[in-house]
Amino acid sequence: MKCTFCGTDEVVYVRPYDKIALCKEHFNEQFEKRVKRTINRYKMFQRKDKIAVGVSGGKDSIALLNTLVKIEKDFPESEIVAITIDEGIEGYREEGLYYAKKHTKRLNVKHYIFSFKEDFGYSLDEIIKKLGERGGKNRAYGACSYCGILRRKILNAAAKTVGANVVATGHNLEDEAETVLLNIIRGDVNRLGRQSPYPKKVHKDLIPRVKPFRLTPQAEIVMYMVINGLEYQEVACPYAVEAYRGNVRNFIFETQNSQPMLSFNIVKAQDKLIPYLTKNKEETKGKIKSCKICGDPSASEICKACSLKEQLSNL
Ligand SMILES: [Zn+2]
Ligand SMILES: [Zn+2]
């Protein structure tokens, strides 16, 4: 087989959805081109942005940082910084932190580390220990739900602290497809509209979040890491066994074997629905409530993080 672009025999990857064969050079070129196109399509960045990249040390976040640093060279007025959130998961977070430090240093990107313990008062391990078994009287949800609430809140606060005006995360095509399907399965059509790929300032204290890998398949991110010799944390979080997303995730990857356009189609469907879903919505008018305790944007009077803190202080 020969590279579709240059005809060399040294093909490293054949894209299952369009059968395009790629040598290393053209794989990297196409990979970066797609990220640029995604950024432009959803108008993710402005020329003078200070972009905070959430870097966990996993493949998605390292690949994203690597790619954005390359793209950013054409935009000297912008700046990229990296933020790692240390959730406090013993025996797991240390390795991710090691890779995050290693790559930010290599790329000469300023790296900030924030932690649950320092910013919330409890590490994730402590929270789960206090709440007890899932399904017990104090804990309704899997660890990932609590972690997600706090990670979003702390990442937003961290971005504000470092003066960033946009946050980029490494969510990839299948992550996005999965989120769309989960919202449909739960009947949460409003959320489908809220999770718009366009950065929006919906609340004065909410730094807009963007996902430049929204149209990049996971398999290509893994390939990008491998062919460029980039190391990352491969072991899964010990709490992942509690994740609710499992079934939908398996469905996507299994179905994709015979229908390689599946995730692209799901994400495109959301794109087409968004104009209808966001019409006249409070979110688009910037009228999201503020939490009465911390002031952060919140769907209810008191945000989920503050309610969790209150619950923990009573245990
Ligand atoms: Zn080639
Ligand atoms: Zn709050």
Side-chain angles (χ1 to χ4, degrees), residues 76-286:
E77 289 170 291
S78 65
E79 188 189 349
I80 293 178
V81 298
I83 294 175
T84 301
I85 308 293
D86 179 351
E87 305 91 348
I89 304 172
E90 221 196 311
Y92 169 73
R93 179 40 69 208
E94 298 84 349
E95 194 197 356
L97 210 50
Y98 165 80
Y99 287 118
K101 282 181 187 165
K102 186 178 160 165
H103 288 289
T104 48
K105 203 173 160 198
R106 173 179 63 84
L107 294 164
N108 202 15
V109 167
K110 251 188 220 163
H111 187 206
Y112 300 92
I113 301 164
F114 290 80
S115 75
F116 278 21
K117 180 76 182 174
E118 238 167 81
D119 287 349
F120 183 70
Y122 304 89
S123 70
L124 186 67
D125 285 344
E126 287 169 347
I127 293 167
I128 298 306
K129 206 173 163 193
K130 263 184 141 347
L131 294 176
E133 286 290 295
R134 180 180 185 175
K137 69 175 169 39
N138 294 320
R139 178 147 84 99
Y141 308 106
C144 306
S145 300
Y146 302 100
C147 188
I149 292 165
L150 295 179
R151 198 151 16 84
R152 273 192 299 278
K153 184 183 176 73
I154 295 171
L155 183 58
N156 187 62
K160 259 193 287 181
T161 304
V162 306
N165 53 309
V166 60
V167 173
T169 59
H171 295 87
N172 61 43
L173 175 70
E174 286 86 356
D175 293 332
E176 289 288 84
E178 186 185 345
T179 303
V180 172
L181 287 186
L182 278 170
N183 286 330
I184 292 172
I185 287 166
R186 291 169 182 152
D188 199 344
V189 178
N190 284 334
R191 192 183 286 254
L192 204 59
R194 275 208 301 277
Q195 286 170 344
S196 159
Y198 299 89
K200 288 177 304 177
K201 191 87 180 162
V202 294
H203 184 282
K204 67 176 175 39
D205 288 321
L206 192 67
I207 311 287
R209 274 189 296 265
V210 295
K211 300 166 183 174
F213 280 161
R214 174 175 168 85
L215 302 174
T216 300
Q218 176 181 286
E220 288 174 40
I221 293 172
V222 174
M223 189 52 64
Y224 182 80
M225 297 299 282
V226 171
I227 66 172
N228 293 300
L230 302 172
E231 291 178 295
Y232 61 96
Q233 182 174 29
E234 291 183 56
V235 293
C237 171
Y239 292 115
V241 288
E242 293 190 5
Y244 223 51
R245 295 181 153 236
N247 292 338
V248 177
R249 211 171 172 76
N250 292 342
F251 163 79
I252 288 174
F253 282 100
E254 277 167 24
T255 313
Q256 248 172 210
N257 287 331
S258 55
Q259 295 184 43
M261 285 302 286
L262 180 84
S263 292
F264 286 110
N265 291 341
I266 293 171
V267 168
K268 278 181 200 156
Q270 185 193 20
D271 283 0
K272 286 181 188 161
L273 285 169
I274 277 179
Y276 304 100
L277 294 171
T278 51
K279 224 178 190 176
N280 298 321
K281 281 279 182 310
E282 293 299 289
E283 292 90 21
T284 54
K285 293 187 234 148

Side-chain angles (χ1 to χ4, degrees), residues 153 291-296 302-306:
K153 184 183 176 73
C291 168
K292 282 196 166 157
I293 296 173
C294 69
D296 274 5
I302 292 172
C303 79
K304 285 177 177 169
C306 287

Side-chain angles (χ1 to χ4, degrees), residues 3-8 21-26:
C3 171
T4 307
F5 292 89
C6 68
T8 170
L22 299 157
C23 68
K24 179 181 171 179
E25 187 195 330
H26 286 107

